[in-house]
Amino acid sequence: MSIKTGDQAPDFSLPKQDGTSVQLKALLQKGTVVLYFYPKDDTPGCTKEACSFRDSYESFKDAGAEVVGISSQSAASHEAFAAKHRLPFTLLADEGGKVRREYGVPSTLGLLPGRVTYVIDRQGVVRHVFNSQLNATRHVTEALGIVKQLQGAGAA
């Protein structure tokens, strides 16, 4: 079962690229969270998506949102990926894919881990879901548009 707009986002705790643990509930206390699941560090589409989030990061911060990427690679892999591409946001290691399964992120052709972005408001409610394996940079424009709408509505 996949998480849809209007659903409560499942809480989780995962290690980030420096090895420290991050809990969704704690992030939501600070504002809106843009949670994006991506297939793998340092692949062409994932790099393009991550760099797109990087290039728009200040716009997300200005709108009261934090960007968080999740894939199944280790914290060490994420640390190298973030350093190589100067990523200013958190990458979480979902080794084994437990959180990916909790969110119901589909696989592409049953093989590749899916690429899905969730915009989650401060109350933990999913306000937008965008699923596209091939349109990596559109995740950023979709999410930023929703975050700005939430900010305008006072929900960010």
Side-chain angles (χ1 to χ4, degrees):
M1 186 173 117
S2 61
I3 299 299
K4 297 181 263 341
T5 300
D7 289 349
Q8 193 70 29
D11 192 26
F12 59 81
S13 182
L14 289 172
K16 67 180 187 174
Q17 63 260 45
D18 67 4
T20 61
S21 190
V22 171
Q23 187 175 13
L24 177 62
K25 186 168 49 176
L27 292 172
L28 291 171
Q29 290 174 358
K30 299 174 188 171
T32 299
V33 172
V34 176
L35 186 66
Y36 81 96
F37 288 86
Y38 65 100
K40 191 173 181 185
D41 293 340
D42 254 335
T43 57
C46 296
T47 299
K48 187 182 237 184
E49 180 180 30
C51 290
S52 225
F53 272 115
R54 176 199 65 205
D55 295 346
S56 297
Y57 185 68
E58 285 306 314
S59 297
F60 281 103
K61 293 299 286 179
D62 290 347
E66 186 55 60
V67 174
V68 177
I70 298 181
S71 78
S72 61
Q73 280 72 52
S74 67
S77 174
H78 288 341
E79 186 174 42
F81 182 52
K84 180 177 179 181
H85 298 288
R86 299 178 329 279
L87 304 178
F89 50 86
T90 299
L91 297 177
L92 298 177
D94 184 24
E95 293 185 82
K98 181 178 183 262
V99 174
R100 182 179 287 276
R101 286 189 299 279
E102 285 178 7
Y103 276 75
V105 176
S107 294
T108 301
L109 304 173
L111 301 169
L112 284 175
R115 183 185 314 278
V116 180
T117 298
Y118 300 86
V119 178
I120 306 167
D121 71 14
R122 290 181 79 125
Q123 289 71 45
V125 176
V126 175
R127 294 297 177 187
H128 185 71
V129 179
F130 183 70
N131 180 354
S132 176
Q133 185 71 5
L134 301 177
N135 210 336
T137 58
R138 187 155 161 223
H139 286 259
V140 177
T141 53
E142 289 266 333
L144 188 54
I146 297 300
V147 166
K148 286 181 177 179
Q149 283 178 15
L150 289 173
Q151 180 189 35

